[in-house]
Every structure is written in structure tokens, then in C-alpha cells.
Amino acid sequence: MTRLDGKISDLYDEVVARNPGEAEFHQAVHEVFDSLGLVLAQHPHYADAGIIKRLCEPERQIIFRVPWVDDDGRVQINRGFRVEFNSALGPYKGGLRFHPTVYLGVMKFLGFEQIFKNALTGLPIGGGKGGADFDPKGRSDGEVMRFCQSFMTELYRHIGEYTDVPAGDTGVGGREIGYLFGQYKRITNRYESGVLTGKGLAWGGSQVRTEATGYGVVYFVQEMLAASGAQFDGRRVVVSGSGNVALHAIEKVQQLGGHVVACSDSNGYVIDDKGIDLAALKQVKEVERGRISDYVEHRGESARSVTSGSIWDVPADIAIPCATQNELDADGAQALIDNGCQIVAEGANMPCTPDAIRAFARAGVRFAPGKAANAGGVATSALEMQQNASRDSWSFEHTEDRLSDIMSAIHHTCLATADEYGVPGDYVLGANIASFTHVADAMLSLGVI
Ligand SMILES: NC(=O)C1=CN([C@@H]2O[C@H](COP(=O)(O)OP(=O)(O)OC[C@H]3O[C@@H](n4cnc5c(N)ncnc54)[C@H](O)[C@@H]3O)[C@@H](O)[C@H]2O)C=CC1
Ligand SMILES: O=C(O)CCC(=O)C(=O)O
């Protein structure tokens, strides 16, 4: 990572020293700090009031044991987390991730990002994140249910409609939210719909929440194209991943006239010259829960599977990384640049390494950071909270219109802030500065807490 300037560099060194061994958290903090020099030059009072230090220290970090019994009758132990990072703008809000790579550093990077992402939505939600080092892959429904019930048996005492509102993330979808909500309801004897989002449509969920992150990132790209008078219009798009965010990003690109030619999972990627067939992909990933290579069997000659190399070698006008953190490095960025890619928008959280982002900037590739581009998911969660609070349920069309308006407003905020600070077109600086000042001003109003 590059060296930061002056006072902000000392603050960064302090964060690293206070949070040893948490590389992903350091990376997320560094990315935000890299934008703050410009703000502090004009508004030194943010540093004087200790706002930056306070922002880097979670308000509360909960770590707990999650014991459960597998199908063979063996006792399994996992570690659960909830990092309640910042509640200046509203109750802590952010997803739960179930994945074997989960540890405190990943939870803190995701919770830290969530503060700024949620601020950009303009909705009253603070930032938090949670999860467990549980691997749902290969587990039966019964095992997933018992795990979720045990996880909630501790988590329930920390969350609530006005306190902390978890949702899904990697490894946590509708099935898991159902089991978590069921256990919360049972323990508390309260039908508190607003305690979780991403619920089923029959029991308090919102239309469009499932689709929202993937649709939202594509709406954001549509705005980036429109800013230079362009449209999707048959442009070649590569989307990494094949989970919730990727599937719905592919769907929306296709609806808007783009041509998605490749997608992936952790085993490799597929290229389909005729364009990814979404029905076949959903069959493989959502019904059969198979590998991405199985897609080829559904498609015949137009598709092929690649298990070595990188999806970023596939020529594309637009790249939308939707899988996981640090999946697109400097080599991947160079391959995209060499093939003429013009736009990269992060559907996942922090999928591009700092070197990749610098390479895009040098090459003039327009780059949208996740905290702006993938904010549609959490924004629609906040819309779900609004519907729960008013005991209402909106139509798909109305909710999607709200999502599209929110993504357009975030795009406008990024560019307007970048202009204001003399860095036109810089989405990273625009997103970081706009969200930082929003949260920082709220924190200043609330006093030293
Ligand atoms: N679900 C949501 O509403 C939101 C998710 N995100 C972020 O989007 C990303 C994906 O999340 P979801 O789609 O919800 O998770 P998911 O669990 O539904 O899907 C993850 C996908 O990524 C693939 N994958 C994992 N590691 C990979 C690798 N190294 N290379 C290629 N593919 C890989 C998996 O095979 C799977 O297809 C995560 O970074 C998550 O934090 C961000 C905002 C909201
Ligand atoms: O909908 C939510 O509350 C969480 C979404 C999320 O985890 C994210 O934006 O990364």
C-alpha cells in the first residue's frame, strides 16, 4: 500500500498497532484514509475532535461460541461475531457472513465499509457486520437450521429493531434468515419483523431485496455510462461469482441490453459466446448447487469451462466483480486494461486490491468502489425496515423505482463531491468524502460518546 501523508499517516499507524494481524481491516481503513487528506486540509476540526480515531474503533464487538450437533451426532463448535461499528446515523445495519475464512479482521473490514456505504444511501442506518466461520457448503438443511438456531440463541440479546438489524451476506440467504428469524421469535416471544431484513415475502420481507444488490450495481453502471452519453447497448460484460449478487447483476445487465459473456465460482469460470443463459446458470447454482463447470453441460458448443487462469483475461468493456474480497489484483487489472475495459464497478465488498485500483486510475478506467456501487442491497433492506415499521408491503415496481432512484442519487453524490474537492470523475474520493463528512457531522452533533 502507498504511504499516506502527514497526520493521517500517524493515525493509520495507530490503527494498525491497535488491531494487529487484521490485514483486511487495515486495507479498508487505508482506502478511506487515502481520501481524507483533502477533507482535513479544509476541515481540520474532524481530526481535532477525535472523529477519525473514534470511527476506527467499533462501538461494540461481540464474539461468541456457537455449539451445534451435526447429522452424525458429533458436537461442532464455531465462532460467531457481531461488530457493532457505528450508530451515529441509525441502528447498526449490515449482513451476516457464514464462511470458513471469517475472523475478526474480516468482520471489522466489512463493518467499517458498511458505515460509509450506509451513509451514502441517505437512509437512517448505522454500520455493523457479523457472521461465523461456519461453512454451509455440503451441510444438510437440518445442520444449517441447528447452526442458525444456536447462533441466534446468543445473538438475540444484542439485536433489535432499534438496536441492530442483521441481514444476509455470503453464505446467508433466505433459508438462513428464516431459521434465524424463527429462533429469534421463539426466544423473545415477539413478532418483531424489523429485527432482520432479507425475510421471505410471506412473512415481512420486501420485494426486490433478493435482487437489490445485483440490480443496484448495474443501475450504478448505467449512470456511469449515461454520464458519457452511453448505454449498455450490446457491450461485453464480465461478472465474477455466481451467487446472489452475481446472478442478479447478470439479470439486470441482460434486461438493459448488455451482453454478459463470463461468470465464475471458486473453482473456475465459464465463457459463453452467445451470452450467459441465466436460466441454465440458476439451475446449476440455485437448484443443483453444482460447480460452475456444470453450466457447460446445459449449453453445448457456445460455452466452455476454464479452471486455470483468471476470468479477468476475458475481453470485456465492463467488469463487475461480485464474488469476494481481493479477487481482482494488479495482474487482473492489467489484463482488463490491455483488452480495452472502460468501466469496473464493485458488486462485492473490496474485490479489487489497492494495486488494481491504482492501475485503473492510471489507465483512465472509470472505477466505482463497492461502498457506492453495491449499496442497493442495504438500501433495500432499509426500505424493508420502513415497510415493517408501517405494517405495509410495497409492490415490486414501486420498490424497484425507489432502488433505482437511490442508486442514481448515490452516483450524483459521488460525482458532485468529487467536483467540489477538485477531483472530477473520481468515484473513490467522492464516495469516501461524502460518506465520511455525513457520518462525521452526525458524530459531532451527538457529542463525545
Ligand atoms: N448479498 C448482499 O446483499 C450483498 C453482498 N455483498 C457482497 O457481495 C459479495 C458476494 O456476496 P453474495 O453474492 O451475497 O454471496 P453468495 O454466497 O451468494 O455468492 C458468493 C459467490 O462468490 C463465489 N466465489 C467465492 N470465492 C470466489 C473466488 N475466489 N473466485 C470466484 N468466485 C468466488 C462463490 O462460488 C459464489 O458464487 C460479497 O463480497 C458480499 O459481501 C455486498 C453487498 C450486499
Ligand atoms: O442488507 C443489509 O443489511 C446488509 C447488506 C450487506 O451486508 C452489505 O451491504 O454488504
Side-chain angles (χ1 to χ4, degrees):
M1 278 182 278
T2 49
R3 184 88 196 137
L4 296 160
D5 294 330
K7 190 166 194 164
I8 202 78
S9 168
D10 298 340
L11 286 169
Y12 176 71
D13 291 345
E14 232 177 276
V15 170
V16 172
R18 280 176 72 77
N19 302 276
E22 297 177 356
E24 296 84 356
F25 179 49
H26 304 163
Q27 184 181 333
V29 169
H30 193 284
E31 192 257 353
V32 171
F33 278 18
D34 216 5
S35 302
L36 293 189
L38 282 174
V39 184
L40 294 185
Q42 291 185 30
H43 309 286
H45 65 286
Y46 289 130
D48 298 341
I51 291 290
I52 299 174
K53 274 192 192 182
R54 275 193 273 159
L55 262 169
C56 295
E57 191 68 28
E59 289 174 17
R60 194 172 297 107
Q61 305 179 58
I62 302 144
I63 304 181
F64 50 100
R65 182 173 68 195
V66 189
W68 56 285
V69 180
D70 70 18
D71 285 347
D72 297 325
R74 278 192 302 259
V75 174
Q76 301 280 347
I77 305 293
N78 286 98
R79 185 170 290 174
F81 300 87
R82 187 72 184 166
V83 177
E84 298 181 334
F85 226 117
N86 192 293
S87 59
L89 297 180
Y92 310 105
K93 183 85 196 85
L96 297 171
R97 176 176 290 193
F98 291 168
H99 195 269
T101 55
V102 163
Y103 78 108
L104 189 58
V106 164
M107 294 286 95
K108 280 161 73 176
F109 121 61
L110 290 164
F112 186 73
E113 282 285 292
Q114 202 80 46
I115 304 171
F116 303 101
K117 181 192 307 193
N118 295 3
L120 281 173
T121 67
L123 297 164
I125 40 179
K129 199 86 183 193
D133 59 355
F134 169 72
D135 189 354
K137 243 188 226 160
R139 291 291 178 192
S140 69
D141 267 4
E143 289 178 317
V144 170
M145 182 181 75
R146 291 193 293 281
F147 176 81
C148 289
Q149 290 176 339
S150 180
F151 185 85
M152 185 53 87
T153 299
E154 173 58 34
L155 187 70
Y156 88 95
R157 68 188 88 243
H158 307 289
I159 62 176
E161 181 182 350
Y162 298 104
T163 319
D164 183 354
V165 184
D169 187 73
T170 301
V172 178
R175 173 182 63 170
E176 290 75 17
I177 294 293
Y179 294 147
L180 291 164
F181 186 72
Q183 184 72 351
Y184 182 85
K185 185 173 84 61
R186 184 183 190 195
I187 295 175
T188 60
N189 194 29
R190 282 156 62 89
Y191 206 107
E192 189 185 335
S193 298
V195 70
L196 289 170
T197 60
K199 298 181 294 297
L201 295 179
W203 42 278
S206 173
Q207 296 284 355
V208 193
R209 176 60 190 90
T210 305
E211 296 84 357
T213 309
Y215 280 18
V217 67
V218 176
Y219 281 131
F220 198 93
V221 173
Q222 191 183 28
E223 293 287 338
M224 294 170 88
L225 286 164
S228 57
Q231 294 175 348
F232 270 100
D233 263 352
R235 283 183 164 71
R236 280 173 68 93
V237 183
V238 167
V239 174
S240 66
S242 46
N244 172 276
V245 180
L247 288 173
H248 296 103
I250 294 170
E251 185 165 75
K252 187 50 77 180
V253 169
Q254 292 177 341
Q255 285 173 11
L256 295 177
H259 187 60
V260 182
V261 290
C263 62
S264 62
D265 71 9
S266 46
N267 297 300
Y269 64 95
V270 289
I271 307 178
D272 191 333
D273 294 327
K274 285 193 183 155
I276 294 292
D277 180 327
L278 196 59
L281 184 62
K282 283 188 172 174
Q283 172 69 22
V284 170
K285 282 296 170 184
E286 294 189 326
V287 181
E288 298 165 15
R289 294 191 188 263
R291 294 186 166 201
I292 197 76
S293 51
D294 300 344
Y295 169 85
V296 175
E297 285 155 33
H298 292 258
R299 287 292 283 166
E301 286 195 353
S302 71
R304 67 195 159 86
S305 156
V306 185
T307 49
S308 59
S310 155
I311 190 173
W312 311 119
D313 294 337
V314 179
D317 303 305
I318 298 166
I320 313 184
C322 295
T324 191
Q325 61 267 13
N326 292 327
E327 56 165 311
L328 202 174
D329 61 11
D331 290 342
Q334 199 52 53
L336 285 169
I337 292 163
D338 291 346
N339 284 323
C341 180
Q342 294 126 35
I343 288 181
V344 177
E346 294 187 321
N349 284 309
M350 210 167 74
C352 298
T353 65
D355 287 345
I357 297 170
R358 260 192 304 281
F360 293 138
R362 273 197 307 270
V365 173
R366 278 174 290 156
F367 171 76
K371 61 171 72 72
N374 74 35
V378 75
T380 308
S381 278
L383 301 183
E384 184 172 327
M385 291 163 73
Q386 284 183 31
Q387 291 168 76
N388 294 152
S390 58
R391 304 262 189 267
D392 200 357
S393 168
W394 305 344
S395 70
F396 194 96
E397 292 69 27
H398 175 68
T399 317
E400 194 180 4
D401 283 350
R402 291 285 310 266
L403 168 65
S404 155
D405 289 349
I406 290 167
M407 296 316 295
S408 165
I410 295 173
H411 180 268
H412 174 79
T413 299
C414 291
L415 285 191
T417 309
D419 279 347
E420 184 188 334
Y421 280 82
V423 283
D426 191 326
Y427 288 95
V428 174
L429 275 139
N432 284 336
I433 294 175
S435 55
F436 169 80
T437 51
H438 185 174
V439 181
D441 288 340
M443 289 173 74
L444 282 174
S445 306
L446 300 182
V448 179
I449 55 171

